[in-house]
CSV table of all heavy atoms in Angstrom, one decimal:
chain,number,residue,atom,x,y,z
A,1,SER,N,114.0,119.8,63.2
A,1,SER,CA,113.8,120.5,64.5
A,1,SER,C,114.7,119.9,65.6
A,1,SER,O,114.5,118.7,66.0
A,1,SER,CB,112.3,120.4,64.9
A,1,SER,OG,111.5,121.1,64.0
A,2,PRO,N,115.7,120.6,66.1
A,2,PRO,CA,116.6,120.0,67.1
A,2,PRO,C,115.9,119.7,68.4
A,2,PRO,O,115.1,120.6,68.9
A,2,PRO,CB,117.7,121.0,67.2
A,2,PRO,CG,117.5,122.0,66.1
A,2,PRO,CD,116.0,121.9,65.8
A,3,GLY,N,116.2,118.6,69.0
A,3,GLY,CA,115.9,118.4,70.4
A,3,GLY,C,117.0,119.0,71.2
A,3,GLY,O,118.2,118.9,70.9
A,4,VAL,N,116.6,119.8,72.3
A,4,VAL,CA,117.6,120.5,73.1
A,4,VAL,C,117.7,119.9,74.4
A,4,VAL,O,116.7,119.7,75.1
A,4,VAL,CB,117.2,122.0,73.2
A,4,VAL,CG1,118.2,122.8,74.0
A,4,VAL,CG2,117.0,122.6,71.8
A,5,TYR,N,118.9,119.5,74.8
A,5,TYR,CA,119.2,118.8,76.1
A,5,TYR,C,120.0,119.7,77.0
A,5,TYR,O,120.9,120.5,76.6
A,5,TYR,CB,120.0,117.5,75.8
A,5,TYR,CG,119.3,116.5,74.9
A,5,TYR,CD1,119.2,116.6,73.6
A,5,TYR,CD2,118.7,115.4,75.5
A,5,TYR,CE1,118.5,115.7,72.8
A,5,TYR,CE2,118.0,114.4,74.8
A,5,TYR,CZ,117.9,114.6,73.4
A,5,TYR,OH,117.3,113.7,72.6
A,6,ALA,N,119.8,119.6,78.3
A,6,ALA,CA,120.6,120.2,79.3
A,6,ALA,C,121.8,119.3,79.6
A,6,ALA,O,121.7,118.1,79.8
A,6,ALA,CB,119.9,120.4,80.6
A,7,TRP,N,123.0,119.9,79.5
A,7,TRP,CA,124.2,119.1,79.6
A,7,TRP,C,125.3,119.9,80.3
A,7,TRP,O,125.1,121.0,80.7
A,7,TRP,CB,124.7,118.7,78.2
A,7,TRP,CG,125.3,117.3,78.1
A,7,TRP,CD1,126.6,117.0,78.5
A,7,TRP,CD2,124.7,116.2,77.5
A,7,TRP,NE1,126.8,115.6,78.2
A,7,TRP,CE2,125.7,115.1,77.6
A,7,TRP,CE3,123.5,115.9,76.9
A,7,TRP,CZ2,125.4,113.8,77.1
A,7,TRP,CZ3,123.3,114.6,76.5
A,7,TRP,CH2,124.2,113.6,76.6
A,8,THR,N,126.5,119.4,80.4
A,8,THR,CA,127.7,120.2,80.7
A,8,THR,C,128.7,119.9,79.6
A,8,THR,O,128.9,118.8,79.1
A,8,THR,CB,128.4,119.9,82.0
A,8,THR,OG1,128.8,118.5,82.1
A,8,THR,CG2,127.4,120.2,83.2
A,9,ALA,N,129.4,120.9,79.2
A,9,ALA,CA,130.5,120.8,78.2
A,9,ALA,C,131.7,121.6,78.7
A,9,ALA,O,131.6,122.7,79.1
A,9,ALA,CB,130.0,121.4,76.8
A,10,ASN,N,132.8,120.9,78.8
A,10,ASN,CA,134.0,121.5,79.3
A,10,ASN,C,133.8,122.0,80.7
A,10,ASN,O,134.4,123.0,81.2
A,10,ASN,CB,134.5,122.6,78.4
A,10,ASN,CG,135.0,122.1,77.1
A,10,ASN,OD1,134.1,121.8,76.2
A,10,ASN,ND2,136.3,122.0,76.9
A,11,GLY,N,132.9,121.3,81.5
A,11,GLY,CA,132.6,121.7,82.8
A,11,GLY,C,131.6,122.8,83.0
A,11,GLY,O,131.3,123.1,84.2
A,12,ASP,N,131.2,123.4,81.9
A,12,ASP,CA,130.2,124.5,82.0
A,12,ASP,C,128.8,124.0,81.7
A,12,ASP,O,128.6,123.1,80.9
A,12,ASP,CB,130.6,125.6,81.0
A,12,ASP,CG,131.9,126.2,81.3
A,12,ASP,OD1,132.2,126.4,82.5
A,12,ASP,OD2,132.7,126.6,80.4
A,13,PRO,N,127.8,124.7,82.3
A,13,PRO,CA,126.4,124.4,81.8
A,13,PRO,C,126.3,124.6,80.3
A,13,PRO,O,126.8,125.6,79.8
A,13,PRO,CB,125.6,125.4,82.6
A,13,PRO,CG,126.4,125.8,83.8
A,13,PRO,CD,127.8,125.8,83.3
A,14,ALA,N,125.6,123.7,79.7
A,14,ALA,CA,125.5,123.8,78.2
A,14,ALA,C,124.2,123.3,77.7
A,14,ALA,O,123.6,122.3,78.3
A,14,ALA,CB,126.6,123.0,77.6
A,15,ALA,N,123.7,123.9,76.6
A,15,ALA,CA,122.5,123.4,75.9
A,15,ALA,C,123.0,122.7,74.7
A,15,ALA,O,123.8,123.3,73.9
A,15,ALA,CB,121.6,124.5,75.6
A,16,VAL,N,122.6,121.4,74.5
A,16,VAL,CA,123.1,120.6,73.3
A,16,VAL,C,121.9,120.4,72.4
A,16,VAL,O,120.9,119.8,72.8
A,16,VAL,CB,123.7,119.3,73.8
A,16,VAL,CG1,124.2,118.5,72.6
A,16,VAL,CG2,124.9,119.6,74.7
A,17,ALA,N,122.0,120.8,71.1
A,17,ALA,CA,120.9,120.6,70.1
A,17,ALA,C,121.3,119.5,69.3
A,17,ALA,O,122.4,119.3,68.7
A,17,ALA,CB,120.8,121.9,69.3
A,18,VAL,N,120.3,118.6,69.1
A,18,VAL,CA,120.5,117.3,68.4
A,18,VAL,C,119.4,117.1,67.4
A,18,VAL,O,118.2,117.2,67.7
A,18,VAL,CB,120.6,116.1,69.4
A,18,VAL,CG1,120.9,114.8,68.7
A,18,VAL,CG2,121.6,116.4,70.5
A,19,VAL,N,119.8,116.7,66.1
A,19,VAL,CA,118.9,116.3,65.1
A,19,VAL,C,119.2,114.9,64.6
A,19,VAL,O,120.4,114.6,64.2
A,19,VAL,CB,118.9,117.3,63.9
A,19,VAL,CG1,118.0,116.8,62.8
A,19,VAL,CG2,118.5,118.7,64.3
A,20,ASP,N,118.3,113.9,64.8
A,20,ASP,CA,118.5,112.6,64.4
A,20,ASP,C,119.8,112.0,64.9
A,20,ASP,O,120.6,111.3,64.1
A,20,ASP,CB,118.5,112.5,62.8
A,20,ASP,CG,117.2,112.9,62.2
A,20,ASP,OD1,116.1,112.6,62.9
A,20,ASP,OD2,117.1,113.4,61.1
A,21,GLY,N,120.1,112.2,66.2
A,21,GLY,CA,121.3,111.7,66.8
A,21,GLY,C,122.6,112.4,66.5
A,21,GLY,O,123.6,112.1,67.0
A,22,ARG,N,122.5,113.5,65.7
A,22,ARG,CA,123.7,114.3,65.3
A,22,ARG,C,123.6,115.6,66.1
A,22,ARG,O,122.7,116.4,66.0
A,22,ARG,CB,123.7,114.5,63.8
A,22,ARG,CG,124.7,115.4,63.3
A,22,ARG,CD,124.7,115.5,61.7
A,22,ARG,NE,123.4,115.8,61.3
A,22,ARG,CZ,122.9,117.0,61.0
A,22,ARG,NH1,123.8,118.1,61.2
A,22,ARG,NH2,121.7,117.2,60.6
A,23,VAL,N,124.7,115.9,66.8
A,23,VAL,CA,124.8,117.2,67.5
A,23,VAL,C,125.0,118.3,66.5
A,23,VAL,O,126.0,118.2,65.7
A,23,VAL,CB,126.0,117.2,68.6
A,23,VAL,CG1,126.1,118.5,69.2
A,23,VAL,CG2,125.7,116.1,69.7
A,24,VAL,N,124.1,119.3,66.5
A,24,VAL,CA,124.2,120.4,65.6
A,24,VAL,C,124.6,121.7,66.2
A,24,VAL,O,124.8,122.7,65.6
A,24,VAL,CB,122.9,120.5,64.8
A,24,VAL,CG1,122.6,119.3,63.9
A,24,VAL,CG2,121.7,120.8,65.7
A,25,GLY,N,124.7,121.7,67.6
A,25,GLY,CA,125.0,122.9,68.3
A,25,GLY,C,125.3,122.6,69.7
A,25,GLY,O,124.6,121.8,70.3
A,26,VAL,N,126.3,123.3,70.3
A,26,VAL,CA,126.6,123.2,71.7
A,26,VAL,C,126.7,124.7,72.2
A,26,VAL,O,127.6,125.4,71.7
A,26,VAL,CB,127.8,122.5,72.1
A,26,VAL,CG1,128.1,122.5,73.6
A,26,VAL,CG2,127.7,121.0,71.6
A,27,MET,N,125.8,125.1,73.1
A,27,MET,CA,125.8,126.5,73.7
A,27,MET,C,126.3,126.4,75.1
A,27,MET,O,125.7,125.9,76.0
A,27,MET,CB,124.4,127.0,73.6
A,27,MET,CG,124.3,128.4,74.2
A,27,MET,SD,122.6,129.0,74.1
A,27,MET,CE,122.4,129.4,72.4
A,28,CYS,N,127.5,126.9,75.3
A,28,CYS,CA,128.1,126.9,76.6
A,28,CYS,C,127.9,128.2,77.4
A,28,CYS,O,128.1,129.3,76.8
A,28,CYS,CB,129.7,126.7,76.5
A,28,CYS,SG,130.1,125.1,75.9
A,29,LEU,N,127.5,128.1,78.6
A,29,LEU,CA,127.2,129.3,79.4
A,29,LEU,C,128.4,129.5,80.5
A,29,LEU,O,128.7,128.6,81.2
A,29,LEU,CB,125.9,129.1,80.2
A,29,LEU,CG,124.7,128.7,79.4
A,29,LEU,CD1,123.5,128.6,80.3
A,29,LEU,CD2,124.4,129.8,78.2
A,30,GLN,N,128.9,130.7,80.4
A,30,GLN,CA,129.9,131.1,81.4
A,30,GLN,C,129.2,131.8,82.6
A,30,GLN,O,128.7,132.9,82.4
A,30,GLN,CB,131.0,132.0,80.8
A,30,GLN,CG,132.0,132.4,81.9
A,30,GLN,CD,133.0,133.4,81.3
A,30,GLN,OE1,133.1,133.7,80.1
A,30,GLN,NE2,133.8,134.0,82.2
């Protein structure tokens, strides 16, 4: 079950999903 964090990626708002310290998804919002 990924933990979902609020972040920025490439300067854009992003949701980062992490499982056991491993990033499994980055969702960037334009």
Side-chain angles (χ1 to χ4, degrees):
S1 296
V4 181
Y5 297 79
W7 215 285
T8 61
N10 296 74
D12 295 321
V16 178
V18 182
V19 174
D20 296 332
R22 175 174 53 91
V23 174
V24 296
V26 177
M27 177 182 286
C28 294
L29 307 179
Q30 181 184 348

